[in-house]
Amino acid sequence: MSTAIAYTELGGPEVLTVIDIDLPEPGPGEVAVRVEAAGVNPLDLKLRAGKRPSPPITEPRRVGFDGAGVVTAVGPDAEGYRVGDDVVIFGASGVYATDIIAQTRQLQRRPPQVTAAQGAALGIPIGTAYQTVRSLDVGPADTVLVHGGSGSVGQGVIQFAVRAGARVLATTSDRRAERVRALGAEPLPYGPGVVDRVHELAPRDADGNGGITVAIDLVGTDEALEQSIALLPDKSRIATLVRGADAAGLGIRAFSGGSPEPLTAQQQTWRAEAIPVALALIADGTFSVELGPELPLAEAAEAHRLVEAGADGKVVLIP
């Protein structure tokens, strides 16, 4: 018998409960994984609270998309995996659990240099960050403004943009400024002075050259969106990952974040591609994942409270 976290009604963290589950044998193209760490994402909280649309709840709804663990059984045609393999799980369902069944396309081998907690921190945030940088075609000629550089997605965006050769400015709190700086960005305090400060650091000349060439919103405030639009004439290179429902009306781009427009096939491919890319970079010491509190699986409700409170680093559940 295995256990998992589920809820039967929308609401606060208190709706999360521990349930017993029967784990079936893996079918064609599937493997069974003993979960060693499950990443807690803001999307998990939004779905639980009903802040993101989801179908009616007709049975206990499992939680979690990202994790890491060890393969315990392999189904027919599950090529490339065998019992005992260390894997990262991404885009799966119900990963807040001791054991899950996943499709091989939702797995990636985990190098020995990468811990289970690091692997569990990758799926949604790092896939989103990598896809965003690729979608906006960030390169050496760019100066990128990131609104909200210290969160998991922001840290990924900074690192991928810097690796692409771009200069990066990132808004952050004073308390988190050194973390942002360590990743290669120039930290900017939040607030109304951002536009003036950016003009000082990245001025635009009389011919319109220079200045910010890409802006990425990870905080979703009116202020952040207004600052981006004020600083960057080319709205096709402004993207929000939070206010997707408002993007079309503002004339800017959105990648998920409540957007009614689904990701394209290419964008989905980039999100999957991000996982092996990040694993290789972590393994050779050139990519950093900030880990936060680790809690037992049964304390999933407290993990959600920590994320809601803005805990530093990726909150991880340990079954």
Side-chain angles (χ1 to χ4, degrees):
M1 184 68 69
S2 301
T3 60
I5 301 298
Y7 56 93
T8 57
E9 60 179 333
L10 302 177
E14 67 278 0
V15 302
L16 298 176
T17 59
V18 180
I19 63 170
D20 292 329
I21 58 172
D22 291 319
L23 195 73
E25 292 296 319
E30 295 180 336
V31 301
V33 180
R34 186 179 71 247
V35 180
E36 296 181 315
V40 179
N41 290 299
L43 178 59
D44 304 341
L45 284 62
K46 293 174 183 177
L47 289 168
R48 182 215 72 220
K51 294 180 180 179
R52 285 285 176 85
S54 61
I57 299 173
T58 58
E59 59 184 14
R61 178 167 292 168
R62 302 270 300 277
V63 192
F65 301 97
D66 301 334
V70 179
V71 173
T72 56
V74 178
D77 302 320
E79 297 181 3
Y81 293 95
R82 60 184 181 181
V83 172
D85 284 346
D86 292 326
V87 294
V88 166
I89 309 157
F90 57 97
S93 179
V95 184
Y96 292 16
T98 55
D99 301 271
I100 68 164
I101 300 295
Q103 299 174 12
T104 55
R105 62 180 175 81
Q106 297 167 328
L107 302 176
Q108 185 69 40
R109 288 179 180 273
R110 175 166 56 89
Q113 302 94 326
V114 181
T115 68
Q118 288 174 316
L122 299 183
I124 288 177
I126 299 306
T128 300
Y130 182 84
Q131 173 261 307
T132 298
V133 170
R134 294 296 301 269
S135 293
L136 294 170
D137 196 24
V138 174
D142 287 313
T143 298
V144 181
L145 174 61
V146 179
H147 293 281
S150 66
S152 295
V153 178
Q155 292 190 30
V157 167
I158 289 170
Q159 292 179 87
F160 287 128
V162 169
R163 289 189 65 85
R167 179 188 181 191
V168 182
L169 313 180
T171 65
T172 185
S173 65
D174 291 341
R175 183 177 62 83
R176 301 287 283 154
E178 285 310 308
R179 173 62 182 172
V180 167
R181 192 188 311 277
L183 297 176
E186 300 167 54
L188 299 172
Y190 288 120
V194 167
V195 170
D196 290 340
R197 185 63 177 140
V198 169
H199 282 316
E200 293 173 4
L201 293 172
R204 191 176 297 278
D205 64 26
D207 295 324
N209 299 315
I212 296 299
T213 58
V214 176
I216 300 169
D217 165 48
L218 304 173
V219 297
T221 62
D222 289 342
E223 182 179 56
L225 293 171
E226 290 165 1
Q227 289 166 347
S228 294
I229 292 169
L231 287 163
L232 182 52
D234 184 0
K235 289 185 178 181
S236 70
R237 302 197 82 198
I238 301 174
T240 179
L241 306 184
V242 186
R243 295 272 294 275
D246 303 320
L250 295 169
I252 64 176
R253 301 177 70 181
F255 308 123
S256 295
S259 172
E261 295 294 326
L263 295 173
T264 66
Q266 178 61 78
Q267 289 166 348
Q268 294 282 15
T269 297
W270 279 328
R271 291 201 175 197
E273 181 182 299
I275 309 307
V277 168
L279 286 169
L281 295 174
I282 295 169
D284 68 19
T286 58
F287 192 92
S288 176
V289 172
E290 183 182 28
L291 297 176
E294 294 185 359
L295 288 81
L297 180 67
E299 296 181 19
E302 179 60 21
H304 278 211
R305 293 186 186 101
L306 288 172
V307 173
E308 287 176 336
D312 294 344
K314 171 61 69 172
V315 178
V316 174
L317 294 170
I318 307 296

